Amino acid sequence: MEKYIEIAFKKGYKRLIKNSFSKTIDVEFGIADDGRMAICLKASHGWIDWLINLVALPNAMGAHSGYYKEWDLCRDKFFKMIKETPDLKKAAEQNGVIIAGRSKGGAEALIIGVSLVLQLQYEVEVGGVDPANAGTRKYIEFAEKIIGKNRIH
């Protein structure tokens, strides 16, 4: 089984933190069996998630405006949590990051993965299991350029 599929289904990593950012981005942070920081993003599970799913118009970058807006609202808290958790920070800096999710979580994984590369300079692998649409073709090509086409599944 591909590692990102294990992560998306909450397997193959030791969970350290479970958090809900703004009650819209539900995430588990941990250390994968291979030493990378693992981030598992949950699929849609509540009415607020379904509302965000419907805001599918692309923003100026071409990203799904609903998912991107939610990410933008919690980005600083998300990064602060990583930076202030020594085991997560060490794993990410030494071994990289694997971020995965199902449905809505798969789309969020791509948007967050781009930020992890651009802002924290982490090596990132992104996986989505039946992911929702993260954005336009323009945005996907941008993400492939930033993360690496062969590191997005």
Side-chain angles (χ1 to χ4, degrees), residues 45-63:
H45 61 88
W47 68 270
I48 190 97
D49 290 329
W50 295 108
L51 287 176
I52 293 166
N53 288 343
L54 297 174
V55 184
L57 298 173
N59 65 13
M61 295 174 12

Side-chain angles (χ1 to χ4, degrees), residues 61-63 110 114 133-150 152:
M61 295 174 12
L110 184 63
V114 168
N133 189 351
T136 64
R137 185 73 220 152
K138 174 184 161 187
Y139 182 75
I140 302 305
E141 289 170 356
F142 169 74
E144 289 173 345
K145 181 179 175 186
I146 299 301
I147 294 171
K149 191 172 186 173
N150 64 335
I152 300 172

Side-chain angles (χ1 to χ4, degrees), residues 4-5 7-9 26 39-43 98-110 126-132 153:
Y4 75 92
I5 296 172
I7 301 299
F9 285 99
D26 295 315
I39 302 172
C40 173
L41 294 147
K42 287 180 70 174
I98 183 164
I99 180 170
R102 294 179 292 128
S103 185
K104 174 181 169 275
E108 291 170 339
L110 184 63
V126 175
V129 177
D130 195 21
H153 311 280

Side-chain angles (χ1 to χ4, degrees), residues 13-31:
Y13 68 97
K14 177 184 172 189
R15 183 174 73 185
L16 299 179
I17 299 171
K18 183 177 181 180
N19 200 336
S20 180
F21 294 94
S22 306
K23 296 184 179 162
T24 56
I25 296 182
D26 295 315
V27 61
E28 290 185 1
F29 294 90
I31 307 298

Side-chain angles (χ1 to χ4, degrees), residues 107-119:
E108 291 170 339
L110 184 63
I111 291 168
I112 295 169
V114 168
S115 292
L116 289 168
V117 173
L118 290 176
Q119 294 176 292

